[in-house]
Amino acid sequence: MTNPNTAASRAEQLRSQINAHAHSYYVLDEPQIPDAEYDKLFAELQALEAAHPQLQSLDSPTQRVGGKALAQFASVRHKVPMLSIRTETDTEATGAQNFDTRVRKELGLTDADPAVEYVAELKFDGLAMSLRYENGVLVQAATRGDGETGEDVTQNVRTIGQIPLRLVPHTSPLPPAGEGADGFDSLSLRERAGVWAFPSPATLDVRGEVYMRRDDFEALNEKQRSKINQGMKGEKTFVNPRNAAAGAVRQLDSSIAAQRPLSFFAYGLGEVTPASEGGPDFKTHFDMLQTLKIWGFPVAAQTIRAQAAPELIAYHQRIGQTRDELPFDIDGVVYKVNSLALQKQLGFVTREPRWAVAHKYPAQEQLTTVLSIDVQVGRTGKLTPVAKLAPVFVGGVTVTNATLHNEDEARRKDVRVGDTVVVRRAGDVIPEVVSVLLDKRAPGAEVFTMPHICPVCGSSAVREDDEADFRCTGGLFCGAQRKEAILHFAHRRAVEVDGLGDKLVEQLVDANIIRTLPDLYKLGLVALSGL
Ligand code: IVH
């Protein structure tokens, strides 16, 4: 038996080591030790706590694995209500301009007064969370609920590796001084000299968003699909990362929540010990975010300070262009007045602060139904399954088709005629079916199978062992492939037939005027005028 005193100090040493490694791994994405080393430390702590139950503590990383299932969630009354944000629906330029104009008017500023400073942030598409820390230890996590009262989801939130169980100063995550290469915020030496390094206060509510990264979401759905295929009851796939995150947070069984990969971004505070009682004396929203970073919270790297409307507009455009490259979903950006004194002066209208506004982007995903699954034959004879969709406006255009790529992909997604599906169109990328809402599937919906004959010419279609695609074996007998051959022939580097392009070849082959290459030389005016 280990000596309880040495056990206690060893346990404390392990906890702080493991918590620091978790911060490097989950928040900074810079692991300091191999996974196996981390697992060893973790196992040692688990063994110590098992041998000395009095050593267990709320901020021990061993608390992250989930515990007993609950019958229901307790309610939590928020000390400071969780507000919503007014959404600016106007176009890019007017949205930010209207906000700046309104703020200036309400502050009584004239054109002669200097620009108002804002913070521009991402609007994360997850669910709002309030994390309560007492003397630096996470004691409660609550959902937003109706803004006044939420649900106690502490057990589930503890399983999120990015959320610190204990607040300790971290020094590394400060952004570098000087002009950032990526055009994001730069910091003065004064700021780096430590104005953010407040000790963690007695009482602190951190507000932020729990979300699921897109890659984690895809992997989770893949896992769910294979469970369903194995006949496991009660399993389902998720429509989008937000629903998956919300489902995980509201799991009564925290050991299930522990297996759902969730992430977190901090963006604000609720109740905090006032400066007069030793709490932090933040002057600006931006300073507060930097301090949250030092305390160990993830804060989005795309957060900037901006002067007046033009810089907000530029931010909205820049984030809009790079939105698809983010590893998580956002549905817009948020502008906030930076000075906390000005925020206080502006106050609230009903449940919305006058000092913040959300500026959205068009949705990239929508639900629609599959009308049919067609198989198209390419000019190389490749067969491609394509879902024909009820028209839906997504990512700024009306979408009626989405490729299913090939047999494996169609089988993996298991799209069937009549299904309700999630369609995604991000940027200029071709639209795709992301997933099927299995609980909406009509009984008897038939599994899609690739045809073994070519839908264009009726020749057999085969898939070679090491190939992903079915191919028509009809060669030039197949109208689809004939087009390619004729085009190739007509190409400038071959015979150079003037004016014989895509469109005309299509018409000639479809009208059965050209069946073989020599038919090209027999083309008369009569045949052509009949097109
Ligand atoms: S601030 C004072 N900042 O948007 C306003 N909210 O309508 C309090 N959200 O459900 C919220 N990203 O969860 C704020 N950078 C961000 C946000 C953000 C997403 C969500 C929030 C809430 C909704 C507010």
Side-chain angles (χ1 to χ4, degrees), residues 1-8 11 15 46-56:
M1 191 86 190
T2 12
N3 174 334
N5 287 330
T6 28
R15 267 181 227 137
Q46 265 179 329
L48 264 180
E49 289 182 356
H52 308 276
Q54 76 281 6
L55 294 182
Q56 282 171 15

Side-chain angles (χ1 to χ4, degrees), residues 83-85 121-124 128 209 267 334 336 353 355:
L83 304 166
S84 51
I85 319 179
E121 301 174 1
L122 304 180
K123 187 170 192 303
F124 312 106
E209 198 89 348
Y267 55 61
V334 181
K336 297 174 181 173
W355 45 263

Side-chain angles (χ1 to χ4, degrees), residues 111 133 168 195 278 355 376:
D111 289 351
Y133 289 82
V168 287
V195 286
W355 45 263
Q376 293 174 354

Side-chain angles (χ1 to χ4, degrees), residues 377-383 469-472 475 480-482 484-485:
V377 187
R379 287 172 180 161
T380 57
K382 172 178 169 344
L383 270 55
D469 300 312
F470 270 85
R471 284 182 193 280
C472 164
Q481 294 176 71
R482 219 177 308 149
E484 174 69 12

